[in-house]
Amino acid sequence: MENENKVTKRKHDAYFRWLFADTTHTRFLLELAGKINHEIDTFLTQVNLDTLMRIPDSYSEVDDTGEADLAFRVNVSTGAPILVGILLEHKSGRDPIIFDQISKYIHSVMKIQDKNRIFSGIPTMAIIFYNGRDNWNPLKILEKSYPDYFRGKVLPFQCTFVNMADIPDSDCLACENTATGMGIIALKHAFNKDKLLELLPQFCKFLDKMPRNEASCLLEKTSIYLMEYLGKDFLKELNMAFVSIGQKYGFVSIGDYFRQQLAEERQQMAEKFDKERQQLEEKFEEKLEEKLADERDKLKKAEEEKLRTAQELYKDNVPMEILVRRFNLTEEQIRGK
């Protein structure tokens, strides 16, 4: 069971990481989270999200970071040349060592290479995004035995918690960034088939306004992600829902996209097969020509040897008529004329 949970978390994390590795999507995620979380809302007033920049994964010195650890840097809102860190940590289940993971990641990644600074680290806001089946808030568990004075101060870094289930569906549907709104819906209702069938098709009119390749990629990633938890039967129902609403806006359904992708793959396989067959035919023709040339050479050498033998026997006074009959040669050939 423990291994199964790890696999499940990894699949959730992969989708979260793919979606919010994009700084534009992250910005809209933070703004939506700020509507339900006072700490995030206050934090956002102190930074300039226009300067949001992702820290490359290769910068991390931590070997065991999760797939969904995403680190960013952002300037403060005053315009001063001061950096602040933002860490997004995604969880789809209870994790008793989450704060140790975050602490390692912050100490490893949230640094600046400035020798003139007294301290190389930067103040960091760690935000835990959770979309599990059960209610869970590790911060409340951590602070439970502390007096009120220590609430919000029990960690050596700033940290807050967002249950994605608390982000209103209406805010997701109204989000200016379709990928962010649709992605949050997929995450928060990953275990609720009926809600997904109700809400996801409402994004069709927004998907139609996106660049075709971006919309197709979003549909593909979301479909594969949800299929892991709800199965292929759910995907068929979702396809039907997208067809009924999507065609109204002239947009292909998820099923249409997969069928097109399958057709393209088949075409590529057919082209690959034709190319390989052509290469085999060319190679066969080359080998055949080489073999024929070799046979012709052997035949020529055999004829030359037969002629030499007949001529030598003629010099030894063997009657001509016997040589002509025996070697199937003419008298002129034997005499060398």
Side-chain angles (χ1 to χ4, degrees):
M1 179 63 70
E2 183 179 352
N3 291 335
E4 290 178 0
N5 289 337
K6 288 182 179 179
V7 172
T8 301
K9 290 179 183 179
R10 188 174 297 116
K11 290 173 181 175
H12 276 281
D13 286 351
Y15 182 70
F16 184 94
R17 183 178 180 81
W18 167 79
L19 186 61
F20 296 113
D22 185 302
T23 54
T24 299
H25 299 166
T26 297
R27 176 173 179 170
F28 281 98
L29 172 67
L30 294 174
E31 290 177 348
L32 288 174
K35 292 184 177 182
I36 62 168
N37 183 299
H38 178 70
E39 290 178 278
I40 296 177
D41 183 48
T42 303
F43 173 78
L44 293 180
T45 63
Q46 304 301 312
V47 297
N48 179 5
L49 285 181
D50 289 335
T51 65
L52 187 67
M53 178 181 68
R54 186 181 169 201
I55 299 173
D57 295 332
S58 59
Y59 194 91
S60 175
E61 300 169 359
V62 179
D63 295 329
D64 58 351
T65 54
E67 283 192 41
D69 290 324
L70 291 169
F72 302 85
R73 287 176 182 160
V74 66
N75 290 91
V76 295
S77 58
T78 61
I82 299 174
L83 291 171
V84 175
I86 300 176
L87 176 66
L88 303 188
E89 171 61 40
H90 173 257
K91 292 294 178 184
S92 57
R94 298 170 182 263
D95 187 346
I97 62 171
I98 182 171
F99 296 117
D100 288 332
Q101 291 175 342
I102 293 175
S103 180
K104 287 181 182 180
Y105 203 70
I106 288 176
H107 287 302
S108 172
V109 178
M110 298 304 180
K111 299 177 181 178
I112 58 174
Q113 306 301 319
D114 187 347
K115 296 180 180 179
N116 296 322
R117 291 196 79 224
I118 298 175
F119 177 59
S120 62
I122 56 177
T124 299
M125 165 66 87
I127 307 173
I128 303 168
F129 285 93
Y130 173 72
N131 76 315
R133 293 175 181 269
D134 305 317
N135 289 329
W136 177 64
N137 188 329
L139 282 171
K140 288 185 177 180
I141 298 173
L142 186 68
E143 296 175 339
K144 186 175 181 180
S145 300
Y146 282 92
D148 290 344
Y149 173 81
F150 293 100
R151 296 296 167 87
K153 303 174 184 177
V154 296
L155 292 170
F157 51 85
Q158 192 171 357
C159 184
T160 191
F161 179 85
V162 174
N163 190 335
M164 301 185 82
D166 295 333
I167 300 177
D169 294 335
S170 57
D171 285 355
C172 297
L173 289 166
C175 183
E176 294 179 27
N177 186 268
T178 301
T180 301
M182 186 171 173
I184 294 174
I185 288 290
L187 284 160
K188 67 176 289 191
H189 296 301
F191 308 103
N192 190 332
K193 178 179 74 172
D194 294 335
K195 269 293 182 182
L196 290 171
L197 291 173
E198 172 193 343
L199 295 169
L200 287 180
Q202 296 184 45
F203 285 94
C204 283
K205 55 186 176 182
F206 307 120
L207 288 167
D208 191 38
K209 299 176 182 178
M210 293 175 63
R212 195 64 147 204
N213 61 326
E214 292 181 18
S216 295
C217 184
L218 176 61
L219 287 172
E220 178 189 12
K221 295 285 188 180
T222 303
S223 300
I224 292 174
Y225 163 64
L226 293 174
M227 188 169 61
E228 295 290 344
Y229 305 99
L230 299 172
K232 294 182 179 179
D233 290 338
F234 161 75
L235 190 59
K236 292 178 182 178
E237 294 184 60
L238 186 60
N239 289 342
M240 294 176 62
F242 265 80
V243 168
S244 61
I245 297 181
Q247 286 181 347
K248 177 180 178 182
Y249 297 97
F251 190 82
V252 296
S253 71
I254 296 176
D256 292 332
Y257 171 74
F258 279 126
R259 282 188 288 273
Q260 179 184 354
Q261 186 182 48
L262 183 60
E264 291 175 354
E265 291 176 353
R266 286 176 176 171
Q267 178 64 26
Q268 291 175 356
M269 289 180 65
E271 291 174 356
K272 181 180 179 181
F273 174 77
D274 289 340
K275 184 177 180 180
E276 290 177 350
R277 183 179 63 183
Q278 183 179 357
Q279 291 174 342
L280 287 173
E281 289 176 350
E282 291 174 353
K283 188 175 293 185
F284 174 76
E285 290 177 358
E286 290 176 3
K287 292 290 184 183
L288 180 61
E289 184 60 34
E290 290 176 3
K291 189 171 183 61
L292 289 174
D294 186 53
E295 292 296 327
R296 284 194 294 268
D297 187 55
K298 289 180 180 179
L299 182 60
K300 182 181 179 182
K301 290 179 179 179
E303 290 294 327
E304 291 174 350
E305 181 64 25
K306 182 175 71 170
L307 181 59
R308 281 195 298 270
T309 302
Q311 289 174 339
E312 289 175 358
L313 291 173
Y314 178 67
K315 291 177 182 179
D316 292 338
N317 297 318
V318 176
M320 177 63 74
E321 60 272 17
I322 293 176
L323 295 174
V324 170
R325 187 170 58 253
R326 172 69 179 79
F327 292 100
N328 194 27
L329 296 168
T330 65
E331 292 184 8
E332 288 77 9
Q333 288 174 314
I334 295 172
R335 289 191 177 96
K337 296 181 179 179

